[in-house]
Amino acid sequence: MSYIKKPLVRHPSLKTNQLGLTVRDYEGTMSTLCAGCGHDSITAAIVRAFFELDTPPHMVAKLSGIGCSSKTPAYFLSGAHGFNSAHGRMAAIATGAAAANRKLAYIGVSGDGDSLSIGLGHMSHAIRRNVKMLYIIENNGVYGLTKGQFSASADMGSKSKRGEANAQSPIDPVMLALSLGATFVARSFSGDKTQLVPILKAGLLHEGFALIDVISPCVTFNDHEGSTKSYVHTRKKQVPIVQTDFVPAAAEITAEYPEGSVTKVTTHDGATIHLRKMAADYDPTDRTRAMAMLRERQAAGEIPTGLLFLDPTGATEMHRGAKTVSTPLVDVPFDDLCPGHDALERLQAAYR
Amino acid sequence: MQHEAVASSQEHIQPSGEEVRDRTNDFAFKLANVNGTGSASANGLIMQAIFRMGIPVSGKNLFPSNIQGLPTWYEVRVNAKGHTARTSVYDLIVAMNAETYARDIREVRPGGYVLYDATWPLSPALARDDVTFLGVPYAQLCNENFTEVRERTLMKNIAYVGTLVALFDIDMDIVTGMLKEKFSRKPALMESNAKAIKLGYDYAREHFECPLPMKLEKMDATKGSILIDGNTATALGCVYAGATVAAWYPITPSTSVLDGFKAFCETYRTDKATGERRYCILQAEDELAAMGMVIGAAWNGARAFTSTSGPGISLMSELIGLAYYAEVPAVIVDVQRVGPSTGMPTRTQQGDILMCAYASHGDTKHVVLFPANPNECFSLAVKAFDLAEKLQTPVFLLSDLDIGMNDWVVPRLEWDDSYKPDRGRVLSKEELLALPTPKYYRYSPEDEHGVAARTLPGVHEKGSFFTRGSGHNKLGGYTEIPDEYQEVMDRLARKHRAARHLVPPAIIEKRPEATFGVVTVGGCDPAVREALETLEERGVHGDFLRVRAFPFGDEVEAFLAEHEIVYVVEQNRDAQLRSLLILETSVPKEKLRSITAYGGFPLQAHQVIEGIALP
């Protein structure tokens, strides 16, 4: 898809959403990533998720740092404001943006280099603050733009394109997020759009910080034998733990699932997330259990995917914690911000 | 036993034979204490009482980077003429820290006084026959009159306030009134304080000749003034400017900016009924994040700021460059401290001038405002937000520890309710739809200042654009084409040049017989003015210019051109303001002579006088 400029004409039978927009209205500029890059598949899933959520594009702010993944906000939602910032700083910039205007939807796209090295602190603190945003890590285990160095998510022993084995243990963003108290934690695979789209939708509507780690193979530097982030390896080792179905608040359809195998979680706006357990004893609302399961599965060389943890109690999102007014701060009139002349006069009595 | 000790310690005290001239409302004293013993409130009490007597006064807190136990000093200067720069000539010292006795006693000028705790004998080795020793057994008095251990320590300080009230003839009614104000809701504390003051006062009246030759007489010189520190005034400025998002990381000496902002917001911006807040303060994980948060909030349309000090600017520099290039407004308050590296965190310096002017990699130039006192901290903070949004660029408010953390007597802060924030060029939904072009382009067309219209997320789809720190052309699109890149960079340079007409002009004071000029910045102001007045009394005349902003206005260029010799007075080793003048004006560098002081204490007039070659 990378090198073919799409025609501007729209097929008359193209499906529209409730806003009368088509999927094409949620697309961005032409991708400049390598043909076959996993990131482009994620872009397509993001486009689909926003389309299905009937989101007005201009009500979305899309942010990123530096790296291949961070280029992708240009490739979706042309009608949204985008911010391609500095290496690792996206979480901080998104936090400030969210502080200023709580009515927008925030989607941050980052990579394993961006998030797990230079940006690790910022990502961790965005989790701690529970900033309402969808934070996607497009995880390929490698630095693409600087041509093939191991990233902090590269598994120990996995091999670089030149055959060198990685000697350091990886930082697992999912384990990290769980241990930091993240309220929404998922892992998916760029090659599994069926799984990814509902998770993206649920994450976008989550009332807090939603982390999705998406294994996204780098076709140029890390899609070879010996890589644990290749298409072949991921397809072979991926184990869906829960299957997610997302039902928006506006839709009246409820999915039917066999009793006992489905967990329903109602989100802040009334939408419902159905979590179908693939592992019979798995409870995706139990943080401790989720961590233990991940450890066990990963030790077995598997890549557990799905919505791994969702805090059903709705822990305090940043604005709720800060007791900020419901009106976005950017919309509060100046007169309500400036105490004025008389107040200053009164105040200065204390400085006599 | 203790009384005997007092007696013996006084045996070697020899009142000075030097005739002391009348020093009414013109003297300085120093209070030497131990950090963490509560001396700050005692010292502040004296300073405020003098201010309320209508006498120009300044208080300089010379404190260590430590919580408890190390020596700390507070210097007070009263001067009827209004010269309130720091002076190191002390007429009296209150020596409450035995560890620093030797140094403190040495610093009193001949004919001066040493007030000390005479509970224990003073070592004969410390004796000076040209000063008068006044011993008051503070520890003993407090032990006899207070039961709580903590109170016995704290009240020693309050007791010396009482002694000074007697020695300087401070208006006791004013002091009593202040205690009532301060402790109106804590009657027990008020009682203890009043008792301690009386102990010190009565002892002095009984044992010494009061008042001393250095005494106070009520004046009318502080009417219409307030006593405030720069960080508090800066915080107020940010509130009045309508800043809603503050992101910061704690660092001395800027922390009280955010403390103040928070306190004022709690008062003025919190709904009493619901507890909802019309502000958001983010204590970031580091300065990198703080700057990122400011950029994110400002990009979204909020007036956002951070406050920090030099080490924080070092960390923020990466994102300051991003804000400059992507043209995102940001206000950065830098309360300078001594560098390099960790330096001396509780000492003052003007060492960040060049760093702020050019912060970040690549070709970057920023707007920097230089307040000289708390009054300007307030007004220039408001100005900083207007400039940041009008020019869509980072703006520094470059204060320092002396301005930020010391109390200054300044004219009351003024506010005009007709003020409207200058949001710069921000397109509304209607304006976007009315654009003659089918699309909106972020960086084109520019106005006469080189500024293009921006749009805010969430307003309308037509206003959407992609902000990037990577190479972009005038339409906002990614580019690596040399001409397109240079076109944007040239516009940014034009924008910075245009800023010289928008920033506050320099303060200039000329003397008809002037033979040289003096250029200075920020908190050097009172010392340089005093120096010029003193020199004038000696028949040496110089013109004065204080820059208040970078880029420099045309008046700075003209002033430099008018004078054959220009002394540049600043508080850093490498003459950073001088370098900036050489780099950014056409002045021949030979005519700029540097006077620098950078030991960490506020500038003194004599340092300026000594630096000016007298005819």
Side-chain angles (χ1 to χ4, degrees):
Chain A
M1 68 184 277
S2 306
Y3 304 108
I4 306 161
K5 188 155 188 172
K6 293 171 197 166
L8 290 170
V9 289
R10 195 176 103 185
H11 195 278
S13 66
L14 208 54
K15 196 182 159 196
T16 57
N17 64 10
Q18 288 189 7
L19 299 174
L21 301 174
T22 68
V23 172
R24 297 295 307 276
D25 295 312
Y26 290 86
E27 290 175 351
T29 59
M30 194 175 65
S31 171
T32 59
L33 299 173
C34 308
C37 177
H39 298 357
D40 284 332
S41 309
I42 301 171
T43 297
I46 291 169
V47 166
R48 173 59 59 180
F50 276 116
F51 167 76
E52 291 182 3
L53 284 175
D54 305 310
T55 309
H58 75 283
M59 295 306 287
V60 177
K62 46 183 189 176
L63 301 102
S64 63
I66 294 291
C68 293
S69 60
S70 292
K71 289 169 175 272
T72 64
Y75 313 146
F76 61 84
L77 264 69
S78 285
H81 270 65
F83 200 148
N84 181 199
S85 61
H87 201 202
R89 311 287 176 233
M90 178 269 285
I93 291 171
T95 301
N101 189 344
R102 62 190 299 177
K103 76 181 171 193
L104 301 180
Y106 293 92
I107 176 167
V109 186
S110 183
D112 40 311
D114 200 54
S115 278
L116 302 181
S117 289
I118 188 169
L120 190 64
H122 303 320
M123 185 186 78
S124 301
H125 286 269
I127 291 171
R128 248 185 92 225
R129 291 190 185 91
N130 207 11
V131 180
K132 184 178 177 341
M133 70 179 294
L134 173 62
Y135 191 109
I136 300 169
I137 301 178
E138 300 187 343
N139 188 347
N140 56 21
V142 75
Y143 283 85
L145 280 180
T146 50
K147 305 194 172 180
Q149 299 79 14
F150 288 120
S151 82
S153 73
D155 290 311
M156 193 184 272
S158 70
K159 294 211 172 95
S160 71
K161 197 177 178 183
R162 291 189 305 171
E164 180 193 353
N166 182 29
Q168 289 176 300
S169 59
I171 293 173
D172 181 341
V174 165
M175 291 297 286
L176 181 74
L178 282 169
S179 68
L180 286 169
T183 51
F184 183 111
V185 183
R187 171 172 282 144
S188 192
F189 172 43
S190 63
D192 189 354
K193 200 171 166 186
T194 315
Q195 184 193 53
L196 184 54
V197 172
I199 292 178
L200 288 171
K201 286 161 71 179
L204 280 166
L205 292 187
H206 176 63
E207 195 63 21
F209 189 93
L211 178 92
I212 307 181
D213 177 41
V214 189
I215 307 299
S216 175
C218 169
V219 286
T220 305
F221 295 106
N222 210 12
D223 192 30
H224 51 80
E225 203 167 326
S227 161
T228 56
K229 298 279 191 289
S230 66
Y231 278 111
V232 171
H233 182 90
T234 311
R235 284 204 179 99
K236 205 160 66 185
K237 299 289 184 180
Q238 184 195 9
V239 181
I241 298 299
V242 278
Q243 182 182 320
T244 312
D245 289 288
F246 182 78
V247 183
E252 290 299 322
I253 313 147
T254 50
E256 292 287 328
Y257 291 105
E259 197 65 28
S261 68
V262 173
T263 301
K264 276 191 194 178
V265 182
T266 305
T267 64
H268 187 70
D269 70 341
T272 312
I273 301 170
H274 295 273
L275 301 168
R276 181 153 24 141
K277 298 174 202 170
M278 308 300 275
D281 61 342
Y282 186 61
D283 178 1
T285 61
D286 182 339
R287 189 184 299 275
T288 313
R289 182 73 197 100
M291 291 177 83
M293 182 279 298
L294 279 168
R295 280 214 179 87
E296 288 159 15
R297 295 282 189 162
Q298 284 175 194
E302 295 175 354
I303 304 167
T305 61
L307 177 48
L308 304 170
F309 176 75
L310 180 67
D311 187 343
T313 63
T316 309
E317 178 270 340
M318 179 177 74
H319 278 292
R320 270 194 279 161
K323 294 185 183 152
T324 325
V325 280
S326 52
T327 309
L329 289 172
V330 287
D331 293 335
V332 177
F334 179 71
D335 287 346
D336 291 344
L337 300 173
C338 179
H341 172 271
D342 294 348
L344 189 61
E345 287 295 304
R346 285 193 297 276
L347 174 72
Q348 291 187 88
Y351 296 94
R352 283 290 304 167
Chain B
M1 273 302 285
Q2 283 171 329
H3 274 294
E4 283 170 23
V6 172
S8 66
S9 74
Q10 286 180 331
E11 275 173 20
H12 59 263
I13 293 171
Q14 299 170 18
S16 164
E18 185 187 322
E19 195 175 326
V20 178
R21 68 178 171 87
D22 178 21
R23 289 190 166 272
T24 304
N25 292 356
D26 182 19
F27 60 93
F29 58 101
K30 185 172 185 174
L31 305 117
N33 224 303
V34 180
N35 212 25
T37 57
S39 57
S41 55
N43 301 339
L45 203 62
I46 299 164
M47 161 100 170
Q48 195 176 12
I50 298 169
F51 165 75
R52 287 194 180 188
M53 288 177 75
I55 308 162
V57 60
S58 68
K60 304 291 184 197
N61 193 8
L62 313 177
F63 59 111
S65 179
N66 186 274
I67 304 297
Q68 275 192 340
L70 288 182
T72 180
W73 292 272
Y74 191 72
E75 302 175 349
V76 179
R77 182 180 182 191
V78 289
N79 183 281
K81 286 197 246 175
H83 295 317
T84 51
R86 179 178 180 250
T87 174
S88 54
V89 179
Y90 309 112
D91 299 280
L92 179 144
I93 184 135
V94 181
M96 297 297 286
N97 185 355
E99 272 188 45
T100 61
Y101 272 177
R103 171 183 165 181
D104 296 333
I105 292 169
R106 207 164 46 238
E107 284 185 347
V108 182
R109 68 161 183 82
Y113 295 80
V114 174
L115 175 64
Y116 71 104
D117 189 343
T119 306
W120 303 278
L122 205 60
S123 161
L126 296 169
R128 273 178 64 179
D129 55 12
D130 58 345
V131 299
T132 306
F133 284 78
L134 308 170
V136 180
Y138 291 116
Q140 184 197 336
L141 288 173
C142 289
N143 284 347
E144 287 167 357
N145 287 279
F146 297 101
T147 49
E148 299 280 330
V149 176
R150 179 78 179 144
E151 210 173 28
R152 284 174 171 175
T153 305
L154 295 178
M155 290 308 149
K156 277 195 294 183
N157 295 323
I158 302 298
Y160 72 62
V161 173
T163 305
L164 293 178
V165 168
L167 292 176
F168 294 153
D169 207 11
I170 294 174
D171 188 333
M172 185 59 108
D173 288 345
I174 289 178
V175 176
T176 312
M178 282 163 51
L179 289 184
K180 278 185 189 154
E181 283 173 33
K182 197 173 173 188
F183 300 115
S184 61
R185 289 178 191 167
K186 295 169 184 168
L189 266 176
M190 182 156 76
E191 198 184 315
S192 312
N193 275 267
K195 187 169 157 188
I197 284 176
K198 191 167 180 338
L199 286 173
Y201 181 85
D202 289 348
Y203 191 94
R205 299 284 297 184
E206 200 176 314
H207 294 82
F208 314 131
E209 192 176 323
C210 297
L212 298 176
M214 58 227 34
K215 62 181 188 301
L216 299 166
E217 268 176 20
K218 277 189 178 174
M219 287 177 68
D220 205 13
T222 65
K223 197 179 174 188
S225 296
I226 53 167
L227 192 62
I228 193 169
D229 66 78
N231 285 354
T232 302
T234 300
L236 257 181
C238 294
V239 172
Y240 271 73
T244 50
V245 178
W248 71 300
Y249 187 76
I251 182 170
T252 302
S254 79
T255 300
S256 54
V257 173
L258 254 293
D259 289 344
F261 184 74
K262 187 178 181 195
F264 291 129
C265 282
E266 278 171 10
T267 304
Y268 297 119
R269 300 257 194 90
T270 305
D271 190 298
K272 298 285 179 289
T274 62
E276 283 192 332
R277 297 166 176 165
R278 299 188 294 278
Y279 63 95
C280 185
I281 296 173
L282 297 157
Q283 185 181 318
E285 53 271 28
D286 51 42
E287 285 91 344
L288 307 162
M291 194 62 222
M293 290 166 182
V294 169
I295 290 172
W299 174 73
N300 244 350
R303 287 198 148 185
F305 76 100
T306 185
S307 78
T308 187
S309 190
I313 302 292
S314 294
L315 290 172
M316 291 173 181
S317 288
E318 176 202 37
L319 288 187
I320 290 168
L322 171 70
Y324 170 80
Y325 191 37
E327 300 183 62
V328 181
V331 171
I332 303 150
V333 178
D334 176 0
V335 187
Q336 297 166 96
R337 66 188 215 186
V338 174
S341 188
T342 309
M344 297 193 283
T346 58
R347 302 281 194 242
T348 197
Q349 203 170 67
Q350 297 174 315
D352 301 346
I353 295 174
L354 283 174
M355 175 167 72
C356 290
Y358 301 127
S360 203
H361 53 275
D363 290 318
T364 48
K365 272 189 192 184
H366 307 292
V367 175
V368 187
L369 306 181
F370 304 103
N373 55 58
N375 187 290
E376 285 190 346
C377 284
F378 176 75
S379 58
L380 295 189
V382 178
K383 186 77 181 168
F385 286 96
D386 284 342
L387 286 169
E389 291 200 309
K390 185 173 188 65
L391 294 164
Q392 299 175 11
T393 199
V395 172
F396 289 87
L397 185 70
L398 196 52
S399 169
D400 63 38
L401 182 141
D402 180 27
I403 300 170
M405 292 187 72
N406 285 322
D407 281 333
W408 293 55
V409 175
V410 291
R412 286 173 76 90
L413 311 179
E414 297 288 340
W415 186 256
D416 179 354
D417 280 335
S418 67
Y419 168 83
K420 291 277 173 274
D422 185 347
R423 307 301 310 263
R425 299 183 69 193
V426 186
L427 297 180
S428 66
K429 179 180 171 184
E430 292 70 29
E431 288 167 324
L432 269 170
L433 293 171
L435 280 181
T437 48
K439 279 197 73 175
Y440 154 80
Y441 295 108
R442 170 62 182 97
Y443 301 114
S444 189
E446 62 187 276
D447 67 6
E448 74 274 22
H449 302 302
V451 184
R454 64 183 182 128
T455 58
L456 303 180
V459 171
H460 191 269
E461 195 165 334
K462 190 176 176 184
S464 68
F465 69 92
F466 205 72
T467 306
R468 45 167 59 91
S470 50
H472 51 267
N473 59 24
K474 67 178 180 184
L475 305 179
Y478 180 79
T479 192
E480 294 181 13
I481 298 167
D483 287 349
E484 288 190 349
Y485 164 80
Q486 283 180 203
E487 189 179 16
V488 171
M489 289 302 288
D490 290 345
R491 180 176 58 77
L492 292 176
R494 280 203 305 282
K495 185 165 88 167
H496 191 260
R497 280 197 296 277
R500 74 190 190 281
H501 299 301
L502 303 172
V503 297
I507 303 286
I508 296 175
E509 285 168 18
K510 292 191 174 175
R511 293 175 163 82
E513 297 171 72
T515 54
F516 61 90
V518 177
V519 171
T520 192
V521 64
C524 297
D525 181 281
V528 173
R529 284 171 187 276
E530 183 181 349
L532 284 175
E533 277 193 34
T534 308
L535 286 171
E536 192 171 29
E537 286 163 14
R538 298 180 195 170
V540 179
H541 307 278
D543 287 339
F544 170 90
L545 181 146
R546 172 163 61 80
V547 297
R548 289 199 297 168
F550 174 71
F552 302 120
D554 296 341
E555 76 285 2
V556 177
E557 184 88 45
F559 185 91
L560 298 177
E562 282 167 17
H563 296 87
E564 283 304 306
I565 301 167
V566 178
Y567 295 94
V568 184
V569 183
E570 55 190 308
Q571 297 180 77
N572 56 68
R573 186 192 67 181
D574 292 344
Q576 297 188 20
L577 176 62
R578 179 176 179 269
S579 296
L580 201 59
L581 289 165
I582 291 167
L583 285 166
E584 301 284 347
T585 71
S586 54
V587 63
K589 67 177 178 185
E590 296 75 23
K591 73 154 77 172
L592 295 187
R593 301 186 184 179
S594 191
I595 299 175
T596 60
Y598 47 93
F601 289 156
L603 186 71
Q604 300 178 48
H606 79 86
Q607 293 172 302
V608 181
I609 294 168
E610 285 158 14
I612 294 174
L614 298 175

